Each structure stands twice: as structure tokens, then as C-alpha cells.
């Protein structure tokens, strides 16, 4: 995000409109361009601005009116919900207003490797990456340690682990395919961008230094995982099998097990899943460490193991 403007004392629609008009929009985007305004409001915002849709609309009007005053034909940018050129985010905290311009039209958690058909309990890649960093996977992978997910679903942990191990920047695939919104801005520095992309490509390792393995009892989930792995370009770095973790034996003993087992949220069968996971950990991962995600703490009792650390994640 880039801060375009901020101001204290914003309590009326006129205050917000004037803040928007003070930004030199014709210098930042084309009149034929598209924009989207999202608004986040905290407690204490003035009543006149207490509805996010109204505040978004007020700012949008300020942007388009800036262009109407610049040409006699009344041309103006249009609004696009998806894939817009200039994604704007308005943050109102009491009477303080901050206006941001986002480098990416779509959320950065959308890496570009997911197929249109997704697993109903698919994990956000950013959450998976955060857990992998918490497990010190980048350091472990450099030492050649093995990782596995015995209930891999659509393979998010495995894909993110492979990207980290090979030092593939998470946004590199998007940069080389659909691109980012900032590339369509009038003040975009193409030379600096190209240099950043070049440096990211140079950091990529040709091979993965560690074993990354996954399994799922459902062939459909394993198929989605294989599709995502291929889309991410790490098919040579990850192995997937259709197998129940009660019977699955990874090809290498894992020092790190990381998983998001069912916990009766979007998938049922939590008790049986965590009981099976207990069996897997004792049988195949002795001496290793497990990092497990759940939204239902009571179900973890089925592991019959004491956690050395618990951490609450927020998204």
C-alpha cells in the first residue's frame, strides 16, 4: 500500500470529498482507467461517514470529478470491482482519514496457482506461509530436512514450502502472468520494476534442497493438489499420494509435519482425523516436530500429546 493522502478532522462528506479532490488524480491514472474504492471504518467515526458504502462513493465522486474538470467532454474513469487499474483503500479512524493506493488489484494472498475449482476447506496461502515461517522451514529446508503433510487437501502447505525452499518470490508468478495494478499507473517506474523482477528471478534455486511430501485419503483433493503444484511450477519438488494417513508411509522420515486436519468447520470427521494423525505422528515422525492448525481446540485432545507451544493466528 502507498499513502496518497491523510488528514485529521474529517467528520463530514465535504471533508472527505475535499481530501479526495486534493490528490492530483490526472497525474496518477488515465481518464479511461478503472478504479475501486474499499473503505474500513473503526469505532468513533462521525455519523455522517458511518456507512462504508457512502464513504467509498464520496471518495469515488471526488476522483471522477477531478477528471471532469480537466476535459470538456466530461470523460471520467469508471468503476471496476475486479481487475481495476487503481485500487484505493480508505481507512477512517475517528476523525483521521488515510487514503491508500494498493499495488495489486487482487489480494496478495492469491498467488496465481490455484485452479478455478478449489477445495472447500482450502487454506489461505498467506496463513500457510506464516505457519511455515513459524516452523523455521526456510532454515530447515536449507539443511535438507524433510517435510510432510499427511492430510494435504489441495496442497497449500506443500506448494508454499516448495516456493520457500527454492526461494521463489510468492508474487513472481503473478508478475509474469496477469501482472499487478501498479504497472498501469501513469507514475509507474518500469525500469525499477524490471530490476526487482530480475533480482527475484536470479534468486530462484534450480532444485529443491529438501523432500516435500503429501498425502490425502481423497483422490479429488489429491488431484487439486497436483494441479496447484503444476501451476506453481514445483511439480519436481513435491510428491503427492492418495493414501489415508493411518496407512501412509512417507518416502523419507519427516522432521517437520505441518497440517490443517479437519476440525468440524468446513469438513467433518474431526475426532477420527485427529486420532489418525496421532497414530501417524507416533509411527512415522518420531523425533520430529508437528505444527498443526485448528479452529476447534477440544478436538486436539485426540492427539493425546502435550503441545510445547500454542499460538493464535489472525487473518
Amino acid at each position: 500500500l502507498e499513502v496518497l493522502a491523510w488528514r485529521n478532522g474529517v467528520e463530514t462528506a465535504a471533508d472527505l470529498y475535499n481530501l479526495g479532490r486534493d490528490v492530483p488524480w490526472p497525474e496518477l491514472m488515465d481518464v479511461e482507467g478503472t478504479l475501486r474504492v474499499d473503505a474500513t471504518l473503526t469505532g468513533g467515526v462521525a455519523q455522517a461517514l458511518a456507512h462504508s458504502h457512502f464513504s467509498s462513493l464520496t471518495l469515488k465522486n471526488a476522483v471522477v470529478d477531478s477528471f471532469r474538470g480537466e476535459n470538456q467532454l466530461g470523460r471520467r474513469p469508471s468503476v471496476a470491482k475486479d481487475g481495476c487499474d487503481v485500487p484505493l483503500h480508505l481507512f477512517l479512524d475517528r476523525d483521521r482519514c488515510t487514503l491508500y493506493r494498493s499495488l495489486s488489484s487482487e489480494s496478495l494472498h492469491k498467488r496465481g496457482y490455484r485452479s478455478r475449482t478449489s477445495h472447500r476447506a482450502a487454506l489461505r496461502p498467506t496463513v500457510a506461509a506464516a505457519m511455515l515461517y513459524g516452523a523455521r522451514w526456510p532454515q530447515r529446508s536449507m539443511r535438507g530436512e524433510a517435510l510432510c503433510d499427511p492430510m494435504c487437501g489441495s496442497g497449500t502447505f506443500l506448494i508454499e514450502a516448495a516456493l520457500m525452499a527454492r526461494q521463489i518470490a510468492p508474487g513472481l508468478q503473478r508478475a509474469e502472468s496477469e501482472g499487478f495494478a501498479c504497472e498501469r499507473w501513469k507514475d509507474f517506474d518500469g525500469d525499477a520494476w524490471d530490476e526487482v523482477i530480475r533480482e527475484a528471478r536470479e534468486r530462484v534455486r534450480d532444485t529443491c534442497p529438501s523432500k516435500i511430501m503429501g498425502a490425502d485419503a481423497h483422490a479429488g483433493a489429491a488431484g487439486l493438489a497436483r494441479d496447484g503444484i503444476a501451476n506453481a511450477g514445483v511439480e519436481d519438488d513435491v510428491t503427492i499420494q492418495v493414501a489415508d494417513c493411518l496407512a501412509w508411509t512417507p518416502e523419507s522420515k519427516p522432521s517437520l509435519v505441518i497440517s490443517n486436519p479437519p476440525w468440524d468447520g468446513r469438513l467433518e470427521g474431526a475426532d477420527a482425523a485427529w486420532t489418525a494423525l496421532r497414530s501417524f505422528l507416533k509411527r512415522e515422525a518420531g523425533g520430529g516436530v508437528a505444527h498443526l492448525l485448528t479452529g476447534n481446540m477440544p478436538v486436539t485432545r485426540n492427539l493425546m500429546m502435550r503441545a510445547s507451544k500454542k499460538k493464535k493466528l489472525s487473518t
Side-chain angles (χ1 to χ4, degrees):
L1 296 174
E2 174 193 9
V3 176
L4 291 179
W6 67 271
R7 187 170 298 171
N8 292 323
V10 177
E11 298 180 341
T12 67
D15 293 335
L16 179 57
Y17 180 87
N18 290 334
L19 178 143
R21 285 302 303 264
D22 287 344
V23 177
W25 297 108
E27 298 176 13
L28 304 179
M29 65 180 295
D30 290 321
V31 67
E32 288 86 9
T34 58
L35 73 150
R36 182 185 72 239
V37 182
D38 298 316
T40 298
L41 281 58
T42 65
V45 173
Q47 186 62 35
L49 302 173
H51 296 284
S52 58
H53 177 72
F54 175 77
S55 295
S56 297
L57 185 62
T58 300
L59 184 67
K60 184 270 294 181
N61 289 340
V63 177
V64 300
D65 288 349
S66 296
F67 284 89
R68 282 174 172 155
E70 291 286 323
N71 69 87
Q72 297 181 359
L73 298 178
R75 294 187 302 158
R76 43 159 283 182
S78 57
V79 174
K81 183 178 180 181
D82 299 315
C84 67
D85 299 323
V86 182
L88 300 173
H89 192 90
L90 182 67
F91 186 79
L92 283 164
D93 181 19
R94 299 183 184 276
D95 70 339
R96 180 183 176 88
C97 177
T98 308
L99 176 61
Y100 299 94
R101 178 171 62 165
S102 175
L103 298 175
S104 172
S105 181
E106 299 297 327
S107 172
L108 289 177
H109 83 271
K110 297 180 179 179
R111 312 289 208 213
Y113 57 70
R114 283 242 172 100
S115 60
R116 292 184 179 274
T117 303
S118 62
H119 194 280
R120 60 175 173 163
L123 186 64
R124 276 195 174 207
T126 44
V127 174
M131 286 187 63
L132 286 161
Y133 275 116
R136 299 183 62 80
W137 171 242
Q139 295 88 339
R140 290 175 178 273
S141 67
M142 287 301 296
R143 295 195 294 265
E145 297 185 25
L147 172 150
C148 83
D149 182 351
M151 300 178 181
C152 70
S154 56
T156 308
F157 277 126
L158 306 175
I159 296 169
E160 292 294 318
L163 294 176
M164 284 185 187
R166 290 187 54 198
Q167 293 192 351
I168 300 174
L172 186 58
Q173 185 173 9
R174 279 181 59 178
E176 295 176 336
S177 54
E178 66 263 35
F180 289 83
C182 63
E183 296 177 69
R184 301 188 291 276
W185 298 348
K186 291 177 74 172
D187 58 335
F188 173 68
D189 188 339
D191 291 338
W193 181 262
D194 290 342
E195 179 65 16
V196 169
I197 299 300
R198 183 189 64 77
E199 291 176 356
R201 288 178 182 145
E202 289 180 351
R203 284 197 298 270
V204 175
R205 295 192 180 101
D206 293 331
T207 59
C208 183
S210 53
K211 286 279 189 181
I212 301 174
M213 306 158 289
D216 201 280
H218 302 282
L224 289 174
R226 290 191 183 101
D227 289 343
I229 289 165
N231 292 339
V234 293
E235 58 266 44
D236 293 333
D237 310 310
V238 182
T239 58
I240 293 285
Q241 292 179 276
V242 178
D244 191 303
C245 76
L246 279 170
W248 182 49
T249 299
E251 59 185 280
S252 298
K253 184 176 180 178
S255 62
L256 173 61
V257 177
I258 189 162
S259 194
N260 177 28
W263 38 269
D264 289 341
R266 287 175 287 180
L267 293 178
E268 297 178 352
D271 287 330
W274 284 79
T275 300
L277 183 58
R278 178 186 72 209
S279 174
F280 175 83
L281 292 175
K282 289 184 174 181
R283 187 184 71 247
E284 303 292 346
V289 62
H291 285 247
L292 308 172
L293 179 66
T294 185
N296 178 7
M297 285 302 295
V299 79
T300 63
R301 295 171 186 159
N302 291 285
L303 281 179
M304 296 184 182
M305 299 177 185
R306 185 182 297 275
S308 61
K309 187 181 294 185
K310 299 177 183 178
K311 188 168 186 177
K312 185 175 182 179
L313 297 181
S314 59
T315 58

